[in-house]
Amino acid sequence: MATMTSLIGLINKIQRACTVLGDHGGEGLSLWEALPSVAVVGGQSSGKSSVLESVVGRDFLPRGSGIVTRRPLVLQLHKTDDGQQDYAEFLHAPRKRFTDFASVRQEISDETDRITGKSKQISNIPIQLSIYSPNVVNLTLIDLPGLTKVAVEGQSETIVQDIENMVRSYVEKPNCIILAISPANQDIATSDAIKIAKEVDPSGERTFGVLTKLDLMDKGTNAVEVLEGKHYRLMHPWVGIVNRSQADINKNVDMIIARKKEREYFETSPEYGHLAHKMGAEYLAKLLSEHLEVVIRQRIPSIIALINKTIDELNAELDRIGRPIAVDSGAQLYTILEMCRAFDKVFKEHIDGGRPGGDKIYGVFDHQLPSALKKLPFDRHLSLKNVQRVVTEADGYQPHLIAPEQGYRRLIEGCLSYFKGPAEASVDAVHLVLKELVRKAIAATEELKRFPTLKSEIAQAANDSLERFREESKKTVTRLVDMESSYLTAEFFRKIHLEQDTTNPGRNSSTPNPNLDNHTDNHLRKIGSNVNAYVNMICDTLKNSIPKAVVYCQVREAKRSLLNRFYVQVGKKEKEQLGAVLDEDPALMEKRSQLAKRLELYKQARDDIDSVAWK
Ligand SMILES: Nc1nc2c(ncn2[C@@H]2O[C@H](COP(=O)(O)OP(=O)(O)OP(=O)(O)O)[C@@H](O)[C@H]2O)c(=O)[nH]1
């Protein structure tokens, strides 16, 4: 018996957890729907409230005309030791003990209005009430709005259908035990309760038939045949009940006295005497309690399976959105650095391969730079006319004697200055590639998704670094070009000179004829082609050294020290500033705390089941 007592207590606990979680069934995997429950259904004025009050032994339900019950009332009865005072508690007002049951009635009615408004609409959000008393058995009942045929004044036309839908949503669940209340002074064939029960439980295996108002039957008629299951057959026995009449209620007849009167009614009744031990509200309560125990015991394995499955899902979801971060500054700093590392890893994968994009840098060196170099306008610069102009200008009043030394220098310098364009363009092109890789890496770092502020700060820091690397790289490639102008390779020209002498053995180099030769086209062409050859040699050198400078200054640095300055800045931050950097998306935080709360309650439910079920 001890375990049986705690089994219903267990389900009560899980039911409360469900209400806290906002789980009233309906959507997805619902624990609420997996829990066995007893739903009380009946037409208006069938005696539903009276039966519930009689089972509890207390007046506590709102009365009145029209549709009084407009939200499901989950009534959890807890048996306490004899001599203890009765009291009630609502889940929506925890820690408030109601010992006056008139105020319980008021609270139910106020709480109903709180959700449905005074509009008299109905709502499927349950009110959860626990009653502790020595006069109850452990049992949970759900009181539902009475089935009705007509809407009363002030209520919308759809309410009749709405109520039926709500009642059906409860009783159609296979775990629902249906307590179908029908008045005896009405033809059982027209009972609203039996009608809906028949529809959802045709075999009658989870329906308990209750017949009220036996005392109000016409003289000379009785309900023995119904009670014996001859009119409508159910797997469980019918229970007859005699509640307080309206006159009794008006006279405030005590519930305990009413129970006694009910017992006497059956014991002394000529018709029902033989059924007396199986009649009355107290018997009904015991019967339901025992049956509920059996059903709960059967359901426990599937409830545990559902809880475990849900716990796994919640854990997976929490992992996906990230666990909460600690609040001390050490842990915050650690989290920030972890995020930076995660980003850096993705970024490096983009550069080194594994992730796309790094190959574009090679594209700059292999394609863009050579084709830009090829397009440089050396032809124009070394045209006959220009060579003549530069050389003449360099000579001044004194034409050169053997070779135009100054003219050569100026022509070469003029050509070399063209290299700055492609060199800087390579720097900019690689910069753009790196910037794009930062953008991609930021987006691809899962861990950063939850921290929008940190995300943008890392992106900013990375881009600032790239900007600095770009400046450094530009200075370096400009230097490479300037270095070429600052010192020419003398050997190259010596070689040319020698080659020319050997190819023209007829001409004696020791006896040049400058006056004749100096300004001939041939002479100028020669100068132009010599300069061109020299510049081509430099071009080959730069084609190789510019990529080296760019990789050294930009790519290598990006891999080595992209976030170095950021680390220093973060290291200097105070706790509040760190917190601000880790400020999460509020929607995400809310979601996490919801998930964590759910997880906690589900784990608690599992612990509770473990401690009860396998005793
Ligand atoms: N004499 C007698 N009157 C009863 C019995 N059961 C209910 N009544 C009376 O019938 C009326 C309706 O009973 P309730 O218990 O309020 O019925 P209900 O189904 O809860 O009604 P609604 O909440 O309005 O749908 C009340 O005046 C009760 O006193 C009974 O067994 N015998």
Side-chain angles (χ1 to χ4, degrees), residues 18-89:
C18 286
T19 299
V20 169
L21 294 172
D23 175 2
H24 323 121
E27 61 216 74
L29 267 187
S30 163
L31 187 53
W32 176 264
E33 296 205 344
L35 299 177
S37 57
V38 180
V40 186
V41 299
Q44 266 199 311
S45 283
S46 57
K48 244 164 16 78
S49 310
S50 301
V51 170
L52 278 174
E53 288 184 325
S54 183
V55 163
V56 176
R58 282 289 194 169
D59 292 90
F60 66 97
L61 290 171
R63 293 186 185 279
S65 57
I67 299 159
V68 180
T69 309
R70 283 177 289 114
R71 285 174 62 183
L73 176 73
V74 178
L75 182 62
Q76 303 185 333
L77 305 179
H78 310 259
K79 182 169 173 58
T80 53
D81 292 337
D82 281 344
Q84 298 277 327
Q85 196 190 13
D86 294 4
Y87 68 92
E89 267 173 7

Side-chain angles (χ1 to χ4, degrees), residues 1-15:
M1 202 60 190
T3 48
M4 282 187 25
T5 305
S6 40
L7 271 177
I8 289 184
L10 173 69
I11 296 304
N12 284 347
K13 229 169 157 178
I14 301 177
Q15 250 174 6

Side-chain angles (χ1 to χ4, degrees), residues 44-50 213 215 243-246 249:
Q44 266 199 311
S45 283
S46 57
K48 244 164 16 78
S49 310
S50 301
K213 306 193 182 179
D215 59 320
N243 289 312
R244 292 177 304 173
S245 64
Q246 191 56 49
I249 293 171

Side-chain angles (χ1 to χ4, degrees), residues 317-594:
E317 181 70 1
L318 275 172
D319 281 338
R320 203 183 60 72
I321 68 169
R323 301 281 173 173
I325 24 159
V327 284
D328 65 295
S329 55
Q332 286 175 328
L333 191 59
Y334 179 81
T335 307
I336 294 176
L337 296 182
E338 279 286 282
M339 298 291 135
C340 292
R341 248 194 297 279
F343 157 73
D344 214 38
K345 183 165 168 282
V346 177
F347 178 66
K348 281 189 184 126
E349 285 169 6
H350 274 296
I351 294 188
D352 290 338
R355 288 175 190 263
D359 53 306
K360 288 206 181 110
I361 294 174
Y362 180 65
V364 173
F365 303 150
D366 186 49
H367 178 72
Q368 196 173 326
L369 176 64
S371 80
L373 290 174
K374 211 175 276 170
K375 281 187 204 127
L376 290 178
F378 296 135
D379 289 358
R380 197 161 16 100
H381 195 69
L382 298 177
S383 67
L384 216 51
K385 228 172 124 198
N386 203 43
V387 171
Q388 185 176 32
R389 188 183 59 78
V390 173
V391 168
T392 318
E393 270 178 26
D395 280 351
Y397 73 94
Q398 167 69 74
H400 61 270
L401 302 180
I402 299 169
E405 182 77 14
Q406 275 307 317
Y408 265 113
R409 281 187 185 281
R410 289 201 189 170
L411 283 169
I412 290 172
E413 271 167 29
C415 286
L416 290 183
S417 69
Y418 285 114
F419 284 122
K420 284 192 181 164
E424 291 190 349
S426 301
V427 170
D428 288 337
V430 169
H431 176 77
L432 285 183
V433 174
L434 291 172
K435 228 174 134 174
E436 175 62 12
L437 294 187
V438 163
R439 197 191 61 74
K440 277 193 179 144
I442 289 276
T445 307
E446 278 304 314
E447 294 90 329
L448 277 178
K449 293 222 162 76
R450 54 190 281 216
F451 301 114
T453 307
L454 179 61
K455 183 165 147 176
S456 71
E457 289 208 5
I458 290 181
Q460 183 64 46
N463 284 330
D464 288 352
S465 294
L466 289 183
E467 208 59 61
R468 278 199 315 279
F469 302 155
R470 160 153 80 170
E471 289 316 307
E472 204 48 48
S473 189
K474 265 196 186 156
K475 271 190 216 152
T476 306
V477 296
T478 310
R479 265 195 195 136
L480 281 181
V481 176
D482 288 345
M483 276 152 63
E484 292 299 342
S485 313
S486 68
Y487 187 71
L488 308 181
T489 311
E491 206 189 337
F492 181 86
F493 290 95
R494 278 189 206 135
K495 250 195 218 152
I496 288 180
H497 205 65
L498 284 174
E499 279 165 12
Q500 283 169 357
D501 281 351
T502 49
T503 50
N504 295 320
R507 274 176 62 191
N508 190 343
S509 61
S510 59
T511 55
N513 190 347
N515 284 335
L516 193 102
D517 222 14
N518 245 10
H519 292 92
T520 63
D521 287 0
N522 223 14
H523 178 63
L524 292 172
R525 215 169 273 130
K526 193 90 252 159
I527 294 171
S529 91
N530 286 345
V531 169
N532 194 45
Y534 185 75
V535 169
N536 277 337
M537 180 190 77
I538 301 301
C539 186
D540 283 343
T541 309
L542 289 178
K543 204 190 285 174
N544 292 321
S545 57
I546 288 171
K548 289 178 199 208
V550 167
V551 168
Y552 183 86
C553 296
Q554 291 174 273
V555 182
R556 190 187 68 127
E557 280 308 305
K559 279 169 64 180
R560 254 169 44 141
S561 63
L562 191 63
L563 294 179
N564 278 7
R565 287 201 178 190
F566 185 64
Y567 293 148
V568 175
Q569 285 167 11
V570 168
K572 286 188 198 144
K573 279 189 203 280
E574 299 292 329
K575 187 175 162 6
E576 292 76 55
Q577 292 172 299
L578 290 174
V581 172
L582 287 177
D583 119 61
E584 287 187 79
D585 181 358
L588 201 72
M589 277 156 75
E590 175 59 23
K591 187 166 179 207
R592 177 181 312 106
S593 85
Q594 288 298 330

Side-chain angles (χ1 to χ4, degrees), residues 9 29 60 95 118 147 155 159 192 208 221 229 314 411 417 460:
L29 267 187
F60 66 97
R95 279 186 286 283
K118 296 271 178 195
L147 294 160
Q155 284 172 328
I159 200 155
D192 296 305
F208 285 79
T221 62
L314 289 171
L411 283 169
S417 69
Q460 183 64 46

